[in-house]
Amino acid sequence: MIAIIVLWILLTLIAVIVILLHFSVTAYIKADSDGFDIKIKYMLFTVYPRAEKKANKKSRTKKIKSEKKSKDLFEDNIDDDFADTDINEGTERIDFTESNKTDNSGLSEDVNKLDAESYPDDNFDLEELEKSFEAGNYEDAQHKEKPKGKKKRGFDKKADKKRKKSGEGFFAGLKEKYGLVKPYIPMGWKYFKKLCKTIRFTDIRISLTVGREDAHEAAVFYGAIQGVLFNFLGTFANIFTVKIKKANVNCVFTRNTISGEAEAAIRIRPSAVIALAVCIAVNFLIIFIRQRRENKKDKKSDADAGCEQKAAAGV
């Protein structure tokens, strides 16, 4: 009984996943003179762009109050305290500039001398310096320079030339690689075209405005733009699944201009993409196994022919 319940649960889950994958992912695209906008939706959910979460007013007020408290706690009023004591109590101010000034020239000279004598040069060996510290010979160790390492070998042109084969060998290698890939090309091209057809461009709306100040130039320009646009749409419809709602080219005779706007909805089913991916994987595997068997047969026939030649030469 439990096994049957688990089986029914698994079947319902698989059915729900299949139904969800059958719904299309839709991308709404709009382009005009102001810029480019895109919005991606799956069923009733907006995948991109995501809506910004609104912060609660209570949390904001709490943050403001905590900031105010921290400012009040760490506010420094030392100067005000000194001013109050001077005026009210009549105490004498202490001059820290001249009365307590000490002669620090000797100290600064000692510090500079210590910096110059104590610190070693930039180039030194750390291991030798540690040994000298242990032995107590710091003065000898600080002036020892780090031994120069071996120079890295640069680009060897002769070795590179030796690595490169002749032109015939290079093209032979390309030909061999092409022979390995060649059986997969027709099948890959076939499924690539199917994948393109699964992508549907619907609700296409295109509106262009072109113009020239001269009427003759405006008419020629209008015809050229219209021809390019509809030739492009025809080629595009041969590659993808296309549904056009509006495609207009407007001509203006008063000014030099070219502008417009376009919008479309792109839809694709995840289930169709997954089915195509499975078919491609299965066909690739079949071709790979078939090619491997053929290679084994060729090697076996070559080995048998070599054995026959050796037997004939021995006789």
Side-chain angles (χ1 to χ4, degrees), residues 104-120:
N104 295 327
S105 60
L107 181 61
S108 62
E109 289 177 0
D110 294 337
V111 170
N112 294 329
K113 187 176 180 182
L114 181 62
D115 292 337
E117 293 179 355
S118 61
Y119 292 99

Side-chain angles (χ1 to χ4, degrees), residues 21-81:
L21 290 174
H22 195 66
F23 286 97
S24 298
V25 179
T26 308
Y28 298 97
I29 296 172
K30 185 177 181 180
D32 53 13
S33 58
D34 295 332
F36 180 83
D37 294 329
I38 184 168
K39 187 178 180 182
I40 300 171
K41 293 184 74 174
Y42 178 67
M43 296 175 66
L44 300 175
F45 304 101
T46 302
V47 179
Y48 179 85
R50 292 188 176 183
E52 295 180 358
K53 293 181 179 179
K54 294 181 179 179
N56 293 327
K57 292 183 179 179
K58 292 182 180 179
S59 62
R60 287 183 179 178
T61 53
K62 285 181 181 178
K63 285 182 180 179
I64 293 166
K65 287 180 181 178
S66 62
E67 288 177 358
K68 285 183 178 179
K69 285 181 181 178
S70 62
K71 285 181 181 178
D72 294 336
L73 287 172
F74 293 101
E75 190 175 0
D76 192 2
N77 294 323
I78 295 172
D79 295 336
D80 297 337
D81 296 337

Side-chain angles (χ1 to χ4, degrees), residues 27-32 35-37 201-208 233 242-247 260-266:
Y28 298 97
I29 296 172
K30 185 177 181 180
D32 53 13
F36 180 83
D37 294 329
F201 288 80
T202 59
D203 300 334
I204 295 175
R205 300 172 187 271
I206 299 170
S207 179
L208 297 177
L233 289 175
V242 177
K243 290 182 180 178
I244 300 169
K245 279 200 170 182
K246 185 178 78 171
E261 59 180 7
E263 58 180 286
I266 305 170

Side-chain angles (χ1 to χ4, degrees), residues 94-95 112 222 239 261:
I94 299 170
D95 190 3
N112 294 329
Y222 166 76
I239 299 170
E261 59 180 7

